[in-house]
Amino acid sequence: MIAALTMMVGWLSYSMTVYENGDLDRRMRNFAQILAETAAGSNADTASAERRLLAVEDVFTKGVIEKLQNVDSANYADALAAAHAKFYTPTYQVFDPQGRMLFRSKNAPLQPIALQQGFADTQINDIHYRTLRTQSADGSVSVAIAESAAMRRESMFPIIMRIVGSQVLMFLLCIIALWWIARTSFKPITTLAQELRKRPAGDLVPLDSAKGYSEVTPLVTALNDLLERESRRLDIERGFLADAAHELRTPMAAMSAQAHLLLQAHDDGTRNHAAVQLQTGLKRVSNLLSQLLTIARVDASDAFSKAERVDAAELLRQRVAEHVPQARQKSITLDLEAPDSLALMVSPTGFTSIIDNLVDNAIRYTPSGGAVSISLSQVASGCTLSVVDSGPGIDVQFRERVFERFYRVPGTEASGSGLGLAIVKKVAAAHGGSISLHGGLHGAGFGITLQLPATRTAQ
């Protein structure tokens, strides 16, 4: 605004200076013509001509002031008139056709101030003058008139100051208006900041939208979305901690009891039995902690959904091979059917978690001597991964609940945490996949099929 004000004042001042110079030139021409016609034909009576010229000089000077008084308000005109009365003094010379000076004003020099007809700029006694020479209609006299540059500037000064003053006043009014607008516009932001500052830690209740301030609504909406996401995250963490504490309580109590028995045992048989039970408990707690960490990672980050080009068939063969020792301990037959290569756009970590949980569950819940079949195939709608077993299966009424965290089907004897299928469903959803449950091998057991959309199949 300061730069704009400076340019505006400069432009207006320049424009007014150009206009005023033209107006002052017209005034000089009129004054010179009046003087020339007044002195015309007065070669024989110079005294009479002098009287007429002085009278014209007085009338013209007062006329200029009177004209200026009629232009603007009284106060401004009075100040301007006083300024002109102080500095405006006519400077002119009257010559006959032979170039002899017939008359000059009191402040006019002895030498001619203008030799050529028309306007000119000249130096007289180191002072810059604007000059004009003209003659009467009958050619009997010619008049040379001059105005100093300082006097012309003084004539324009009040007008220039009026322009500058009005622009500065406008600038100050704009500053006040902008200050008020900014203060009013930022008031809802200040109110919102105060409301947030007063909130206690953990208060995630949505904010009230600032009524009457539609421009703040997007900010409030974004903050409310953030608060809602944070609330969901905290709920998940609280639920996770509560479930983890609940699930760890039982095996930890059992381990404590077995450790007590181990310390109190008086014979090798009792001591060995307690040691085996303690080792089993440790293994169960280790598996539970591993599952808890996995599902916490699934909830807390997108590491299980970042897609990369993966050879799903090769990855499946590697993971199934890792479970062979577990299957051999129970004499379970593992059957794998997969193409030589099948490229998928999936998260390697997420897809590995799906394979491990499905195969581990199938082996864990299948009785000794049973069978587990794993298959991977590409279909028109994408690709499918199926894991079926010959175990006891799951009753239809319980199938929808197996994806709940820590849920275990009533009557299940095999150890487990109830987190495996919950992890599988979470990761599958992150990949845009769907899961279906069905029967297992030989009309018994349990089967689960994961289907990934065609967009996940890398060409």
Side-chain angles (χ1 to χ4, degrees), residues 233 236-237 240 292-302 304 405 422 426:
R233 185 185 67 81
I236 291 172
E237 288 185 358
F240 171 78
L292 286 172
L293 290 174
T294 299
I295 202 162
R297 289 176 60 197
V298 171
D299 287 335
S301 70
D302 58 353
F304 284 75
R405 296 182 181 185
K426 186 81 174 180

Side-chain angles (χ1 to χ4, degrees), residues 5 69 76 109 125 134 219 225 249 290 301 334 350 393 395 417 427:
L5 173 69
Q69 287 176 335
Y76 173 61
N125 298 328
T134 186
L219 175 61
D225 290 342
R249 187 180 297 114
S290 176
S301 70
L334 289 181
D395 194 272
S417 62
V427 177

Side-chain angles (χ1 to χ4, degrees), residues 206-324:
L207 300 166
D208 291 331
S209 179
K211 295 181 180 179
Y213 297 97
S214 58
E215 63 275 12
V216 185
T217 301
L219 175 61
V220 175
T221 302
L223 283 172
N224 285 338
D225 290 342
L226 175 62
L227 292 175
E228 184 180 356
R229 292 195 301 271
E230 188 66 13
S231 179
R232 286 199 303 266
R233 185 185 67 81
L234 290 176
D235 289 341
I236 291 172
E237 288 185 358
R238 293 190 190 101
F240 171 78
L241 291 174
D243 291 340
H246 174 75
E247 290 299 318
L248 286 171
R249 187 180 297 114
T250 300
M252 293 300 292
M255 288 169 57
S256 177
Q258 295 301 328
H260 180 74
L261 289 175
L262 183 61
L263 292 174
Q264 298 297 323
H266 298 290
D267 58 85
D268 292 341
T270 304
R271 189 179 296 108
N272 290 335
H273 178 73
V276 170
Q277 293 299 317
L278 180 60
Q279 186 178 22
T280 302
L282 286 171
K283 185 176 181 181
R284 180 183 176 188
V285 170
S286 176
N287 181 67
L288 176 59
L289 288 175
S290 176
Q291 293 287 66
L292 286 172
L293 290 174
T294 299
I295 202 162
R297 289 176 60 197
V298 171
D299 287 335
S301 70
D302 58 353
F304 284 75
S305 61
K306 290 183 178 178
E308 298 179 15
R309 184 183 177 89
V310 175
D311 187 345
E314 180 61 26
L315 181 59
L316 179 61
R317 283 190 288 269
Q318 293 176 3
R319 299 315 304 165
V320 171
E322 292 291 329
H323 290 276
V324 169

Side-chain angles (χ1 to χ4, degrees), residues 92-353:
Y92 61 92
Q93 299 168 335
V94 180
F95 300 92
D96 62 12
Q98 287 74 37
R100 291 173 297 186
M101 187 180 298
L102 301 177
F103 181 79
R104 67 182 178 88
S105 61
K106 293 179 181 180
N107 58 339
L110 294 175
Q111 70 272 26
I113 55 179
L115 299 176
Q116 303 294 328
Q117 295 289 321
F119 286 100
D121 293 304
T122 185
Q123 293 282 125
I124 301 176
N125 298 328
D126 296 328
I127 299 176
H128 182 75
Y129 284 91
R130 177 74 167 169
T131 63
L132 170 66
R133 187 177 181 113
T134 186
Q135 63 181 9
S136 62
D138 61 3
S140 60
V141 296
S142 61
V143 174
I145 186 170
E147 289 184 357
S148 68
M151 186 178 67
R152 290 167 72 93
R153 285 195 298 270
E154 288 290 336
S155 178
M156 292 183 286
F157 183 75
I159 299 175
I160 300 299
M161 290 307 298
R162 182 81 169 206
I163 293 173
V164 173
S166 64
Q167 293 298 312
V168 171
L169 178 61
M170 183 180 298
F171 174 77
L172 294 177
L173 291 176
C174 288
I175 289 295
I176 294 173
L178 287 175
W179 172 83
W180 180 83
I181 291 171
R183 184 179 177 85
T184 304
S185 300
F186 281 97
K187 184 177 180 180
I189 302 293
T190 304
T191 303
L192 185 63
Q194 292 174 349
E195 181 181 347
L196 290 173
R197 193 177 296 112
K198 292 177 182 178
R199 285 196 168 199
D203 186 356
L204 300 178
V205 177
L207 300 166
D208 291 331
S209 179
K211 295 181 180 179
Y213 297 97
S214 58
E215 63 275 12
V216 185
T217 301
L219 175 61
V220 175
T221 302
L223 283 172
N224 285 338
D225 290 342
L226 175 62
L227 292 175
E228 184 180 356
R229 292 195 301 271
E230 188 66 13
S231 179
R232 286 199 303 266
R233 185 185 67 81
L234 290 176
D235 289 341
I236 291 172
E237 288 185 358
R238 293 190 190 101
F240 171 78
L241 291 174
D243 291 340
H246 174 75
E247 290 299 318
L248 286 171
R249 187 180 297 114
T250 300
M252 293 300 292
M255 288 169 57
S256 177
Q258 295 301 328
H260 180 74
L261 289 175
L262 183 61
L263 292 174
Q264 298 297 323
H266 298 290
D267 58 85
D268 292 341
T270 304
R271 189 179 296 108
N272 290 335
H273 178 73
V276 170
Q277 293 299 317
L278 180 60
Q279 186 178 22
T280 302
L282 286 171
K283 185 176 181 181
R284 180 183 176 188
V285 170
S286 176
N287 181 67
L288 176 59
L289 288 175
S290 176
Q291 293 287 66
L292 286 172
L293 290 174
T294 299
I295 202 162
R297 289 176 60 197
V298 171
D299 287 335
S301 70
D302 58 353
F304 284 75
S305 61
K306 290 183 178 178
E308 298 179 15
R309 184 183 177 89
V310 175
D311 187 345
E314 180 61 26
L315 181 59
L316 179 61
R317 283 190 288 269
Q318 293 176 3
R319 299 315 304 165
V320 171
E322 292 291 329
H323 290 276
V324 169
Q326 180 186 359
R328 283 179 177 174
Q329 289 180 359
K330 299 179 66 175
S331 300
I332 293 175
T333 303
L334 289 181
D335 180 38
L336 174 61
E337 182 180 353
D340 293 338
S341 178
L342 177 56
L344 294 181
M345 293 299 296
V346 294
S347 162
T349 304
F351 198 65
T352 298
S353 177

